[in-house]
Amino acid sequence: MEDLSLARPTRTIGTALHVCQIFDCFRSDRDALRLTEVTRLIGLQKSSVYRLLQTLVGAGYLSFDRTDRHYRLGNAVSRLVEVYRAKTSLSDVVRPFLERVRDATLETSALQVRDGDMRFCLLELPSPQSIRMVVGEHKPSSTKKGASGHVLRAFAADWNEQRDRGHLKRIREAGYAVSRGEQIEGAIAIYVPVVDRRANLVGALGVQAPAFRNPPETVERIVTLLKENARQLALAVDATLSAR
């Protein structure tokens, strides 16, 4: 029997684990499966597998052909694939603009995106200098702290519902946020919003760096640079979406 078992974390929900195992059954060379095949592959009772499959069919994650009695991946999976591709393609679109910002400032450049009350770097290009500030890609942080978090909340649709909406309003009016030592002592972060033509917030474009290298006059120059690159990035994102 082909072993499709998953390594169990310390705490798991059995049903969710079994659903993951069902999806693992499908491959490019095995895109249609009968109930008996899924049962054999994941090692559950046939009645349990049947209930799981029917639930996934009802939710649109699987389809069922009554003629050949095969299950296949459904339209809901296609939507998830599109979401994943959008994130991946966004990284490709963003990279040249991050390179411009990094090369012009010699500081770490990044695009941060929001996920609920958290944020993370979708893409980060570290400074070439020996003393630098690096957050790390895909590491979640709160949107309550840091210039990127402030920008992501200030330009979100729900900004006026935030407790510090007065602070966020000032950021919206200025078009950028600067934070000093909010998360790392001696660090400075400068971020601007990237907003597409439909007024959707794509993310926050910015730099993080040692504060001693960035006096007020340098910060002003970086803000101007970031705003121009954010504008061009928004156009590139719109062009990418229109091409689909």
Side-chain angles (χ1 to χ4, degrees), residues 43-221:
L44 283 180
Q45 291 185 354
K46 188 175 182 180
S47 59
S48 298
V49 174
Y50 175 77
R51 288 194 296 272
L52 288 170
L53 290 173
Q54 290 303 108
T55 299
L56 291 170
V57 169
Y61 288 93
L62 293 180
S63 65
F64 179 65
D65 189 325
R66 296 182 181 278
T67 303
D68 62 13
R69 313 296 294 177
H70 280 86
Y71 292 89
R72 295 175 174 83
L73 296 177
N75 290 331
V77 173
S78 297
R79 291 194 296 271
L80 294 179
V81 170
E82 286 303 312
V83 172
Y84 176 79
R85 285 177 176 171
K87 287 293 186 183
T88 304
S89 62
L90 179 58
S91 294
D92 294 336
V93 174
V94 168
R95 182 175 292 276
F97 297 94
L98 291 187
E99 289 175 346
R100 290 182 196 173
V101 171
R102 179 200 58 194
D103 294 346
T105 63
L106 296 180
E107 303 292 3
T108 298
S109 61
L111 183 82
Q112 300 217 23
V113 295
R114 182 181 178 182
D115 184 8
D117 292 330
M118 305 301 288
R119 61 180 168 84
F120 63 89
C121 279
L122 180 69
L123 186 63
E124 181 181 52
L125 300 184
S127 164
Q129 304 189 72
S130 57
I131 300 177
R132 58 191 179 186
M133 297 297 175
V134 178
V135 173
E137 294 177 3
H138 307 294
K139 294 181 179 179
S141 299
S142 173
T143 56
K144 302 294 185 182
K145 289 185 177 182
S148 61
H150 300 324
V151 164
L152 290 172
R153 289 190 302 118
F155 289 87
D158 62 350
W159 75 271
N160 204 30
E161 301 172 13
Q162 303 290 322
R163 296 182 63 180
D164 58 344
R165 56 185 173 274
H167 171 60
L168 299 182
K169 182 180 180 181
R170 290 190 292 274
I171 291 174
R172 289 174 64 89
E173 292 171 347
Y176 70 94
V178 178
S179 61
R180 294 177 174 83
E182 286 191 22
Q183 290 189 294
I184 303 175
E185 185 176 354
I188 186 172
I190 311 161
Y191 277 84
V192 303
V194 180
V195 181
D196 67 18
R197 65 185 175 195
R198 293 181 300 275
N200 294 322
L201 179 64
V202 176
L205 175 69
V207 300
Q208 51 247 357
F212 72 85
R213 273 205 305 257
N214 293 275
E217 59 273 19
T218 302
V219 171
E220 184 177 347
R221 179 178 63 83

Side-chain angles (χ1 to χ4, degrees), residues 25-51:
C25 291
F26 292 91
R27 297 179 180 176
S28 59
D29 60 344
R30 191 172 62 203
D31 61 354
L33 294 167
R34 290 179 178 270
L35 170 60
T36 52
E37 292 176 295
V38 178
T39 301
R40 176 180 62 82
L41 287 169
I42 70 175
L44 283 180
Q45 291 185 354
K46 188 175 182 180
S47 59
S48 298
V49 174
Y50 175 77
R51 288 194 296 272

